[in-house]
Amino acid sequence: KHTYRGETVQYAGTPMERTTPFPIIQGHENLGVVEAIGPGGAIAHDGTALVVGDRVVPAPNRACGVCRNCQRGFPYYLCRNLENYGNSLTCAEAPHLFGGFSELLYLRPGTAIFRVPPDLPSEIAVLTEIFAVTHSLERVAAIRRPGGFLPGDTVAVVGVGSLGMAHLVKAALMGAGRVIAIDKSAKRLALARRLVNAETVLVDKSVDGMGKGVLAQLLDLTDGEGADVVVNATGFPGSFALAASVVRDAGTVLEVGAFVDMGPEAFNPAVICGRSLNIMGTGGEDLRAYAGTLALFARHRQAIPFAEMVSHTFRIADAALALETALDADNATKVLISNTLGPGSR
């Protein structure tokens, strides 16, 4: 969606800063069936051999394994030579098919590949990548008090599109006492209530540009304290200050939505110091979270209607319409582009 909007500077302000290398086939949250395997064979991430016909989720990133960050054992999205399907691999280079918006996706050697459990529906398994990003909450849980996330705490999520919704669900499964969804879309908030019985705060688009109404509502819900952890997942500028305003003193703000350069934002860092806030950024999903995420889906899919996170499904030929639909925050949550599922929307 960022690329479609023209926001093409990724990892801005870091040594990995780059622009989208057009021409490009987009699509990095992928699920597919193994169609062919090269002469060297292919091994899944669990060490077992892959065979034609396996249903798999490939990791969207491919790390070099030799740079300093890889050698330190950092999450693979911190690799200094990182390749991203659908983001950094141009289709100008052979064999061209490096994004999910196509009938076939070529996976380079060394790509981590995860086999989908046979009884897990594809419309749930396709959510694996965004749920793997929620390892960020586990990082927050590792922080010692007063900033960490403990069972019973209140977690608020600003922006409950697919990524924010995944964090909301994961917080509930990790034992949050209360989960609060903050969004401009009444449809998304209704989904948050169905998925995990979230409390909700509707942002008034006409008058609430500074978030004062949101702050008042959230303080009312939390006896004037604010949330213990606030996840900012909007992917739009202007939301970080709002997230910082609704977290409690000494709480943690988790930024997961600012993947690209969206421009500067006015925020006074004295707030961080004066309120002893913890600020944590997460650059992507962790390979170590994939197997656990697939197991989580399999265990909880009867209790939590994960598949309801998918609001629309389109054919590859309708990719532009799919992206326009995905940008309609009032009516869309997770939008799929599929070579096998039926055309149209649901």
Side-chain angles (χ1 to χ4, degrees):
K1 290 188 286 186
H2 286 299
T3 302
Y4 192 73
R5 291 203 306 249
E7 299 163 354
T8 58
V9 180
Q10 304 170 3
Y11 300 106
T14 76
M16 293 188 297
E17 181 174 315
R18 63 185 179 217
T19 58
T20 304
F22 296 107
I24 192 168
I25 299 174
Q26 290 194 266
H28 64 281
E29 300 171 12
N30 300 311
L31 176 145
V33 175
V34 176
E35 181 77 13
I37 298 174
I43 303 296
H45 196 258
D46 63 3
T48 60
L50 288 166
V51 298
V52 171
D54 277 345
R55 196 165 44 118
V56 298
V57 171
N61 302 316
R62 179 177 176 268
C64 71
V66 297
C67 73
R68 190 168 184 181
N69 283 353
C70 285
Q71 291 296 310
R72 288 173 171 176
F74 288 176
Y76 79 147
Y77 54 77
L78 288 174
C79 170
R80 287 294 181 254
N81 305 301
L82 192 68
E83 293 178 340
N84 311 90
Y85 294 98
N87 280 316
S88 74
L89 292 171
T90 174
C91 64
E93 298 177 2
H96 312 293
L97 300 176
F98 294 125
F101 294 6
S102 60
E103 294 181 3
L104 295 171
L105 170 65
Y106 177 84
L107 298 177
R108 287 185 167 178
T111 301
I113 305 171
F114 302 85
R115 188 180 287 105
V116 177
D119 60 344
L120 188 63
S122 292
E123 59 265 31
I124 296 178
V126 76
L127 303 171
T128 302
E129 193 270 354
I130 56 170
F131 268 86
V133 180
T134 66
H135 76 96
S136 53
L137 288 169
E138 294 155 17
R139 292 174 61 206
V140 177
I143 300 173
R144 296 181 61 184
R145 275 308 211 199
F149 167 36
L150 295 177
D153 279 353
T154 296
V155 177
V157 180
V158 182
V160 285
S162 56
L163 182 61
M165 197 74 75
H167 280 80
L168 194 77
V169 172
K170 182 65 169 291
L173 291 174
M174 289 177 65
R178 304 169 74 182
V179 288
I180 302 173
I182 303 169
D183 204 282
K184 297 178 179 181
S185 168
K187 182 174 181 177
R188 289 179 175 180
L189 296 180
L191 177 59
R193 289 191 290 269
R194 291 198 304 275
L195 289 174
V196 289
N197 196 29
E199 297 172 83
T200 58
V201 173
L202 179 64
V203 179
D204 189 331
K205 291 177 284 188
S206 61
V207 300
D208 204 41
M210 298 303 294
K212 294 179 181 178
V214 172
L215 176 60
Q217 291 181 70
L218 193 130
L219 290 178
D220 186 58
L221 287 174
T222 59
D223 298 322
E225 289 294 318
D228 298 287
V229 178
V230 177
V231 181
N232 185 34
T234 69
F236 284 91
S239 58
F240 181 81
L242 171 60
S245 73
V246 297
V247 72
R248 67 162 168 81
D249 290 346
T252 297
V253 176
L254 177 57
E255 176 62 57
V256 299
F259 175 67
V260 299
D261 186 1
M262 297 178 293
E265 178 170 336
F267 179 75
N268 188 348
V271 174
I272 300 173
C273 185
R275 298 184 58 211
S276 295
L277 299 182
N278 298 280
I279 309 296
M280 180 182 291
T282 295
E285 85 304 341
D286 192 326
L287 288 180
R288 293 167 292 188
Y290 274 77
T293 295
L294 288 164
L296 178 146
F297 287 152
R299 179 178 180 185
H300 294 284
R301 70 185 182 93
Q302 300 300 332
I304 298 177
F306 294 104
E308 289 190 24
M309 289 177 60
V310 178
S311 59
H312 300 78
T313 302
F314 292 90
R315 300 172 303 172
I316 296 172
D318 297 323
L321 178 59
L323 284 162
E324 291 288 350
T325 302
L327 290 170
D328 180 3
D330 288 333
N331 296 301
T333 49
K334 177 66 175 173
V335 175
L336 298 185
I337 294 175
S338 174
N339 191 37
T340 57
L341 298 178
S345 59
R346 62 186 178 98

